[in-house]
Structure formats: structure tokens, C-alpha cells
Amino acid sequence: MQLEVVRDFRRLHELKGSWQSLSTYSREYGLYQDLDFLASWWEGFGVNHSFHLMVVTTDTGELVAASPMLVERATYRGIPLKVLRFLENGYVPSCGMLLHTEYFTSAVVRICEHLFSFEGWDMVSLAKLPESGGLSRQIVQSAVESGLRVGRLPSIITPVIDTQGSWDDYLKTRTTSFRKQLRGKVNRFNREPGATIRAVAVCESNVGELVRTMSRISASSWKAGARSDLGSDPKAQVFLEKLLSRLAVRNAATVWFAYKEDLPIAFELHLHPDMVTYPLRADFDESYKTLSPGSVLEAEIIKQMFASERIRTYYSCGMDYRYLMRWTDTTLQHETIEIFAARVLPMLGYDIEYGLMPLVRSMRKWFGENHPPEITR
């Protein structure tokens, strides 16, 4: 196995053919495996970071593994460290490596040899790794065998809906109260004059307009108060414009809108590069919250996914929020793995995070249980 490190982002596009071939042999799925998604993410969020792509090939030149990462300067528990991590932020629902099933173990071991060389970084941070895929286990095993300090933290729990089967049969699996509330919201929305829901296929000519419309709705949502709306994030807008332009060629993106008259008041952006649909971003205009446009829109989309012959899974891209967990009992648990170099500063960071902080949390819990707050009347 030969490992090459690619530090020039532009070379990522040269791998398109072999990358697509490798993806057909992967045992996992996820947006982190999609070359268009990764390229768009880097163009939107990669500023001030160092690109670090690891590719593993056999002696015949066959690509059997790829792991796009970046190196950044970060502060970890107050300690300045250089961190090697995935291309990841809130727009990436899960992370991993593109791995050929036949070469899975040997390829991961080869990548770990490079990760654990710590040549230019102090710490490896692998966020949002699915616990069930086997990759986490292999990485931890390799780190332990290398005598390194390893930390594991729970990460997001993502609700997932299997959309194969009948919509009516699926609804019967949900609680009576949920079905009643949902029916009430849908009926109220449908009674509103001019209230409609439409799906807009993303094409090369409407990308700019769609991003502007989504940004306007988001700027009128509750997220605007926290400056987490799409309109306040120019990097995210660049990312979405690049991504939708690429996926438009593949007919792999759709924006669903709820309208009042001809005014879009809610949206949900879906990517569907494979048999999975990913609702990457959703917002609604607070001015119309009495219509519950976000809930009604989500219900209609999920219903249409059951009718689709192409989609098999609705991967919520979110956390186990209460409103999402009312839709499904199936979740995918993720974790974050952190590996530290055997140097003073990274080892100090490990001792604080995995030695001191658990003790502090235990003391806070004990103090809270044994010294309840006084109730004043």
C-alpha cells in the first residue's frame, strides 16, 4: 500500500474517475464521500486552513482509500495546538473515510500510520464518526497499539427514517397524539388562502435565485437573533452556490418551499446524490409561524419520499431533537475520537479534558445532588 499526501486542493478534481469507482466499493454512505460536496465545502469554508488529502493506492495503482482533512491552529482547553481534522462543520452531518471494502483494515492501518506520525500537527480530531461502522474501532485499536493517548466523546445522535413501504402504514407506527397534532397543522395550513407547497428542482440557471431566496427566509427566522441565519453567513452562501451548481448537473438537489400566495415563507434544501435524501438546511419566516409552515413542509416532504422509487432513506442531518424523534425510533449514534501526540502541550490537553474535567463534572453533580437550591417564598 502506497500513501500519498495531496496538499493542493486543485488536484482533488483529478481524482474524479478513480474516486467514483472507489465509492462503488465502499461499505458506508454519506455526503463526506461525495466529491462535489467536499470540493464545495472547501471552497466555502477552507480559507485559512491547510488542505491535507491522504490517498492510498495498491502497487498496481488502484485507489483503495481517501481521506480529505485539514490542518488548523486551534485552542484546546486553553492550550494552542495544531489539529488535523476532517472537513467538517454544521453542514456536514457525518464524517468518515472513503474505503474499499476489500482493503478496509489494511487501508485504515496505513492511514493511521500517517495520522500518528504527528508531522506538523499535535492532535488528530475525528468528529462525527458513526459508532456502528467499524472505522472508529479500527482507529482506536491502531492508536492504542501505537501507545498513544486516545479520548472518545459522544457526538450527535441522528434520527433516520426508512422510507420504503407505505406512508399510511408508516404513520400508524407513530403516536396517536403526534398524528392528531400533525393532521391539525396540515388542515390549518391547507385552509389558509394561497398556502401551497412546491418542490423546485435545482438547475444551473436558478442557483443564484434559490440561494438568495433561502437567505431571505432564513434572515426572517428565529436564527437571525443568534446571527446563525444563512443571510449572516457569506461563507455558507458561497458553499451552497458552489454545491448546488455542481449537483444541478447531476439532478441531485431539490429545494422545497411553502408559499403564502406567491411569497416563499419556508424552505427545506434536500441533496439526493444516492438513494438517501439529506435535508441539509431548513428555515421558516417567523411572521408566519401560526401556520406551522416548517412542520407542514417537512411532513409533505417525508410523505413524498415514501412515494419516491429512488429514495430509500431520509437522513435527517440533525440531532435527536424532540420534534425529529416524534417521526422515528431509529437513530445513528456518532462519536468523536481524539488522539494526542506524545508531547508536552497535547498531553496536557489530554489530561485536562479526560482527567480533570470528568472530576470537575462529578463534583458539580455531587454538589448539586447534596446541596439543592433553597426555595424562597
PDB file of all heavy atoms in Angstrom, residues 10-18 35:
ATOM      1  N   ARG A  10      -6.575  21.771  -5.720  1.00  0.00           N
ATOM      2  CA  ARG A  10      -6.956  21.655  -7.123  1.00  0.00           C
ATOM      3  C   ARG A  10      -6.765  20.245  -7.665  1.00  0.00           C
ATOM      4  O   ARG A  10      -7.423  19.837  -8.626  1.00  0.00           O
ATOM      5  CB  ARG A  10      -6.156  22.662  -7.952  1.00  0.00           C
ATOM      6  CG  ARG A  10      -6.522  24.122  -7.662  1.00  0.00           C
ATOM      7  CD  ARG A  10      -5.553  25.079  -8.296  1.00  0.00           C
ATOM      8  NE  ARG A  10      -4.216  24.955  -7.718  1.00  0.00           N
ATOM      9  CZ  ARG A  10      -3.188  25.737  -8.041  1.00  0.00           C
ATOM     10  NH1 ARG A  10      -3.354  26.693  -8.950  1.00  0.00           N
ATOM     11  NH2 ARG A  10      -2.005  25.568  -7.479  1.00  0.00           N
ATOM     12  N   ARG A  11      -5.867  19.488  -7.059  1.00  0.00           N
ATOM     13  CA  ARG A  11      -5.641  18.117  -7.529  1.00  0.00           C
ATOM     14  C   ARG A  11      -6.782  17.177  -7.163  1.00  0.00           C
ATOM     15  O   ARG A  11      -6.873  16.062  -7.680  1.00  0.00           O
ATOM     16  CB  ARG A  11      -4.332  17.573  -6.941  1.00  0.00           C
ATOM     17  CG  ARG A  11      -3.075  18.135  -7.598  1.00  0.00           C
ATOM     18  CD  ARG A  11      -1.864  17.320  -7.197  1.00  0.00           C
ATOM     19  NE  ARG A  11      -2.025  15.910  -7.518  1.00  0.00           N
ATOM     20  CZ  ARG A  11      -1.303  14.940  -6.962  1.00  0.00           C
ATOM     21  NH1 ARG A  11      -0.366  15.246  -6.069  1.00  0.00           N
ATOM     22  NH2 ARG A  11      -1.494  13.676  -7.299  1.00  0.00           N
ATOM     23  N   LEU A  12      -7.674  17.630  -6.284  1.00  0.00           N
ATOM     24  CA  LEU A  12      -8.814  16.799  -5.895  1.00  0.00           C
ATOM     25  C   LEU A  12      -9.661  16.426  -7.112  1.00  0.00           C
ATOM     26  O   LEU A  12     -10.151  15.301  -7.228  1.00  0.00           O
ATOM     27  CB  LEU A  12      -9.671  17.556  -4.868  1.00  0.00           C
ATOM     28  CG  LEU A  12     -10.832  16.795  -4.217  1.00  0.00           C
ATOM     29  CD1 LEU A  12     -10.307  15.655  -3.361  1.00  0.00           C
ATOM     30  CD2 LEU A  12     -11.665  17.731  -3.355  1.00  0.00           C
ATOM     31  N   HIS A  13      -9.791  17.371  -8.053  1.00  0.00           N
ATOM     32  CA  HIS A  13     -10.612  17.128  -9.229  1.00  0.00           C
ATOM     33  C   HIS A  13      -9.985  16.096 -10.163  1.00  0.00           C
ATOM     34  O   HIS A  13     -10.694  15.448 -10.946  1.00  0.00           O
ATOM     35  CB  HIS A  13     -10.839  18.448  -9.974  1.00  0.00           C
ATOM     36  CG  HIS A  13     -11.542  19.480  -9.149  1.00  0.00           C
ATOM     37  ND1 HIS A  13     -12.891  19.413  -8.869  1.00  0.00           N
ATOM     38  CD2 HIS A  13     -11.088  20.602  -8.525  1.00  0.00           C
ATOM     39  CE1 HIS A  13     -13.244  20.447  -8.118  1.00  0.00           C
ATOM     40  NE2 HIS A  13     -12.171  21.183  -7.898  1.00  0.00           N
ATOM     41  N   GLU A  14      -8.671  15.917 -10.095  1.00  0.00           N
ATOM     42  CA  GLU A  14      -8.004  14.936 -10.945  1.00  0.00           C
ATOM     43  C   GLU A  14      -8.379  13.503 -10.550  1.00  0.00           C
ATOM     44  O   GLU A  14      -8.197  12.572 -11.328  1.00  0.00           O
ATOM     45  CB  GLU A  14      -6.488  15.114 -10.859  1.00  0.00           C
ATOM     46  CG  GLU A  14      -5.989  16.481 -11.334  1.00  0.00           C
ATOM     47  CD  GLU A  14      -4.494  16.653 -11.117  1.00  0.00           C
ATOM     48  OE1 GLU A  14      -3.846  15.663 -10.691  1.00  0.00           O
ATOM     49  OE2 GLU A  14      -3.979  17.757 -11.349  1.00  0.00           O
ATOM     50  N   LEU A  15      -8.881  13.337  -9.336  1.00  0.00           N
ATOM     51  CA  LEU A  15      -9.211  12.005  -8.837  1.00  0.00           C
ATOM     52  C   LEU A  15     -10.636  11.581  -9.162  1.00  0.00           C
ATOM     53  O   LEU A  15     -11.074  10.509  -8.730  1.00  0.00           O
ATOM     54  CB  LEU A  15      -9.024  11.971  -7.309  1.00  0.00           C
ATOM     55  CG  LEU A  15      -7.612  12.185  -6.778  1.00  0.00           C
ATOM     56  CD1 LEU A  15      -7.643  12.332  -5.269  1.00  0.00           C
ATOM     57  CD2 LEU A  15      -6.722  11.017  -7.166  1.00  0.00           C
ATOM     58  N   LYS A  16     -11.376  12.416  -9.887  1.00  0.00           N
ATOM     59  CA  LYS A  16     -12.813  12.189 -10.067  1.00  0.00           C
ATOM     60  C   LYS A  16     -13.136  10.780 -10.540  1.00  0.00           C
ATOM     61  O   LYS A  16     -13.996  10.098  -9.968  1.00  0.00           O
ATOM     62  CB  LYS A  16     -13.387  13.224 -11.034  1.00  0.00           C
ATOM     63  CG  LYS A  16     -14.904  13.141 -11.161  1.00  0.00           C
ATOM     64  CD  LYS A  16     -15.455  14.282 -11.987  1.00  0.00           C
ATOM     65  CE  LYS A  16     -16.981  14.230 -12.048  1.00  0.00           C
ATOM     66  NZ  LYS A  16     -17.553  15.353 -12.814  1.00  0.00           N
ATOM     67  N   GLY A  17     -12.474  10.300 -11.564  1.00  0.00           N
ATOM     68  CA  GLY A  17     -12.781   8.982 -12.102  1.00  0.00           C
ATOM     69  C   GLY A  17     -12.520   7.866 -11.112  1.00  0.00           C
ATOM     70  O   GLY A  17     -13.386   7.025 -10.855  1.00  0.00           O
ATOM     71  N   SER A  18     -11.318   7.863 -10.535  1.00  0.00           N
ATOM     72  CA  SER A  18     -10.969   6.804  -9.579  1.00  0.00           C
ATOM     73  C   SER A  18     -11.768   6.937  -8.292  1.00  0.00           C
ATOM     74  O   SER A  18     -12.085   5.937  -7.635  1.00  0.00           O
ATOM     75  CB  SER A  18      -9.465   6.825  -9.288  1.00  0.00           C
ATOM     76  OG  SER A  18      -9.049   8.097  -8.833  1.00  0.00           O
ATOM     77  N   LEU A  35     -17.592  13.792  -3.940  1.00  0.00           N
ATOM     78  CA  LEU A  35     -16.523  14.691  -4.354  1.00  0.00           C
ATOM     79  C   LEU A  35     -17.031  16.116  -4.565  1.00  0.00           C
ATOM     80  O   LEU A  35     -16.351  17.084  -4.208  1.00  0.00           O
ATOM     81  CB  LEU A  35     -15.866  14.167  -5.630  1.00  0.00           C
ATOM     82  CG  LEU A  35     -14.471  14.703  -5.953  1.00  0.00           C
ATOM     83  CD1 LEU A  35     -13.484  14.354  -4.858  1.00  0.00           C
ATOM     84  CD2 LEU A  35     -13.994  14.123  -7.276  1.00  0.00           C
TER      85      LEU A  35
END
